[in-house]
Amino acid sequence: MKILVTGGTVFASRFTAEYFAKRHEVYVLNRGSRPQSEVTLIKADRHALGDVLRPYFFDAVIDVCAYNETDIHDLLDGLGEFGCYIMVSSSAVYPESEASKRLVQPFTESQTVGANSIWGKYGTDKIAAEKALTERVPNAYIIRPPYLYGKMNNLYREAFVFECAEKGLPFYIPKDGKMPLQFFDIEDMCRFMEILLGKRPEQRVFNVGNPGSVSVTEWVKKCYAVLGKTPELVRVDEKIPQRSYFPFYDYGYVLDVTAMSELMPEVKPLEEGLRQSYEWFAANRELVIRKPLFEFIENNLVQNA
């Protein structure tokens, strides 16, 4: 197939482009301002496409970088003919599970989407992007992942825990460490998109992710175990802002991925995905976008331990 991938320069979009390039003819659409993979670059801004895409027919468009309705409209306005469209959305489209809203986790695809105070504008913009796409391309596929991880992850998530393990440091755990985290390996996401392109199921919106979740404590232990270590865990009072010393928000949620699992029963074990993530991180440390978590811990937690 001839496939267009939006972005193609960092983490999810880059991995997606390289994954499909092993099997298909892949083009990436970006402004050419960053190093490129060995695929065909269409150098353009999706918001000022003109006629640059019109000569092409794409069997599939994989839109990894649509964050709002303008992103959707501008790309669709610039595209020529295409076959299948897949948009990578987000689990941030689901509102908090508050008793007053009668919402129950795990979230299913039939759950009403809505504003979420944790994700804010990011979530509502994703909702608007989904709506714009389904109105203009009713047969498009939308996937909603939880936290993506794995090879090429330049976000300071598992990389931060790996660095703590490398330094032999204790790990500061939010509250009781029981908050659930749900992950999905980036390669599994690409595998599922390939299944969608091959099988073309009738269902159009899919939650994707590892079935179930792990607690914060379990996740940290698995990250340390990649380096053959066991962390000394230090609990942190809930009054201290969690994002100051930990890479995730104080918000636990779980997606129901039953529909995905029917099409793709096997997913990569978290332990294997973390090992692959560490191997990539160890060879590409300079690409990770670090946050001042160590500084906050040193200045505010170590002194009070």
Side-chain angles (χ1 to χ4, degrees):
M1 291 189 291
K2 184 178 291 186
I3 297 176
L4 176 68
V5 177
T6 59
T9 58
V10 294
F11 189 28
S13 65
R14 188 181 186 99
F15 189 94
T16 298
E18 294 189 7
Y19 175 91
F20 281 96
K22 296 174 183 176
R23 302 156 176 80
H24 306 283
E25 183 181 354
V26 170
Y27 295 73
V28 294
L29 174 66
N30 64 64
R31 290 170 291 184
S33 58
R34 296 181 177 181
Q36 303 290 323
S37 299
E38 293 184 5
V39 296
T40 302
L41 169 64
I42 300 177
K43 186 177 179 180
D45 188 325
R46 71 186 291 159
H47 301 299
L49 288 170
D51 293 328
V52 68
L53 294 179
R54 297 202 181 279
Y56 297 91
F57 170 81
F58 297 107
D59 297 287
V61 174
I62 301 179
D63 196 353
V64 189
C65 302
Y67 295 104
N68 55 51
E69 60 184 326
T70 301
D71 290 342
I72 293 294
H73 288 308
D74 287 352
L75 181 60
L76 289 175
D77 289 346
L79 281 169
E81 294 187 16
F82 62 90
C84 185
Y85 196 115
I86 299 176
M87 173 193 167
V88 178
S89 184
S90 169
S91 56
V93 301
Y94 296 114
E96 291 104 321
S97 183
E98 298 176 1
S100 60
K101 296 180 181 177
R102 299 185 181 278
L103 304 179
V104 179
Q105 293 195 35
F107 294 126
T108 66
E109 292 91 344
S110 60
Q111 165 70 55
T112 302
V113 298
N116 183 306
S117 63
I118 301 296
W119 307 120
K121 189 174 184 294
Y122 173 77
T124 53
D125 279 352
K126 280 288 192 179
I127 292 171
E130 288 189 6
K131 184 174 184 292
L133 179 59
T134 54
E135 287 177 348
R136 293 189 59 175
V137 188
N139 64 345
Y141 290 107
I142 295 170
I143 62 174
R144 296 170 176 166
Y147 293 117
L148 291 171
Y149 81 105
K151 290 175 284 188
M152 299 191 188
N153 187 4
N154 65 327
L155 302 176
Y156 206 37
R157 292 175 176 170
E158 62 260 31
F160 167 64
V161 189
F162 293 148
E163 289 193 326
C164 290
E166 287 178 336
K167 297 174 186 291
L169 299 175
F171 196 87
Y172 291 84
I173 290 284
K175 295 178 284 190
D176 62 4
K178 294 181 180 179
M179 186 183 79
L181 296 169
Q182 189 174 20
F183 293 98
F184 199 35
D185 185 89
I186 184 63
E187 186 171 15
D188 280 342
M189 187 178 81
C190 291
R191 287 178 53 228
F192 185 67
M193 290 192 289
E194 191 167 32
I195 288 171
L196 292 180
L197 294 176
K199 294 189 174 182
R200 306 293 174 96
E202 292 185 7
Q203 181 170 328
R204 297 294 162 179
V205 179
F206 288 87
N207 290 338
V208 296
N210 288 3
S213 61
V214 293
S215 69
V216 166
T217 298
E218 291 170 327
W219 177 68
V220 170
K221 287 182 177 179
K222 289 179 185 295
C223 289
Y224 269 67
V226 170
L227 285 83
K229 298 184 178 182
T230 300
E232 173 193 348
L233 301 177
V234 181
R235 293 186 178 182
V236 179
D237 189 279
E238 62 182 9
K239 295 178 182 179
I240 298 177
Q242 182 169 306
R243 288 277 284 176
S244 299
Y245 63 92
F246 186 71
F248 295 108
Y249 287 107
D250 183 11
Y251 176 54
Y253 69 95
V254 181
L255 304 177
D256 184 319
V257 295
T258 301
M260 179 209 78
S261 297
E262 290 176 354
L263 292 170
M264 190 176 77
E266 300 294 329
V267 298
K268 186 180 298 183
L270 185 56
E271 296 82 357
E272 180 183 348
L274 288 172
R275 178 185 59 77
Q276 294 176 351
S277 182
Y278 180 69
E279 289 175 352
W280 178 86
F281 164 70
N284 298 275
R285 296 173 187 271
E286 73 284 358
L287 299 181
V288 174
I289 304 172
R290 287 174 171 77
K291 295 185 176 182
L293 303 181
F294 282 115
E295 291 84 346
F296 183 89
I297 291 170
E298 181 65 29
N299 295 330
N300 298 275
L301 299 181
V302 173
Q303 300 173 19
N304 301 320

